[in-house]
Amino acid sequence: MDDTAVIDADNERHRREEQERRAKRKAQRESKSKSESQTEKERKRREHAQRILQAQKKHHQQQQQKSSADPSSAAAGGSSVFQSLFHQRAQGFLIDLRFRNA
């Protein structure tokens, strides 16, 4: 019984020490302010991500307008983006096959 009491006390001490370490680390993280260069870097990264997303949305909208204006593209490649890309890829394989067989 004496051994279990010592083990229990050791486990309790270890648990308390770990909680204190976690609290210290959390306080350090919250109090640490980012450097000016780091905040500038993050701002530029966010702006770049926004520009890329806007360009992708614009390109996607143009593709949708183009496909709705040209009904033959839907018949040739399908209605989804994946189907149209798959159709283009298949055409590339057919061209390559014809070239090799020529």
Side-chain angles (χ1 to χ4, degrees), residues 41 64-65 68 72 96:
K41 190 178 191 180
Q64 283 181 341
Q65 289 173 354
S68 64
S72 64
D96 187 43

Side-chain angles (χ1 to χ4, degrees), residues 9-69:
D10 191 46
N11 286 343
E12 183 64 27
R13 178 190 54 79
H14 178 70
R15 188 181 61 76
R16 271 187 272 113
E17 288 173 354
E18 284 299 312
Q19 284 180 340
E20 290 171 7
R21 282 191 204 108
R22 287 186 192 120
K24 282 182 186 178
R25 275 189 249 128
K26 186 176 181 180
Q28 285 176 343
R29 261 186 275 134
E30 290 172 354
S31 67
K32 183 172 55 171
S33 62
K34 295 182 180 178
S35 67
E36 200 172 304
S37 62
Q38 183 70 20
T39 53
E40 180 70 14
K41 190 178 191 180
E42 289 179 358
R43 182 187 62 79
K44 286 181 179 180
R45 183 188 54 79
R46 282 193 302 270
E47 288 175 357
H48 176 71
Q50 280 295 99
R51 283 194 304 270
I52 297 299
L53 287 174
Q54 287 174 353
Q56 287 176 347
K57 286 179 184 178
K58 184 178 177 183
H59 180 69
H60 183 66
Q61 287 173 350
Q62 288 174 348
Q63 290 291 348
Q64 283 181 341
Q65 289 173 354
K66 183 180 176 183
S67 65
S68 64

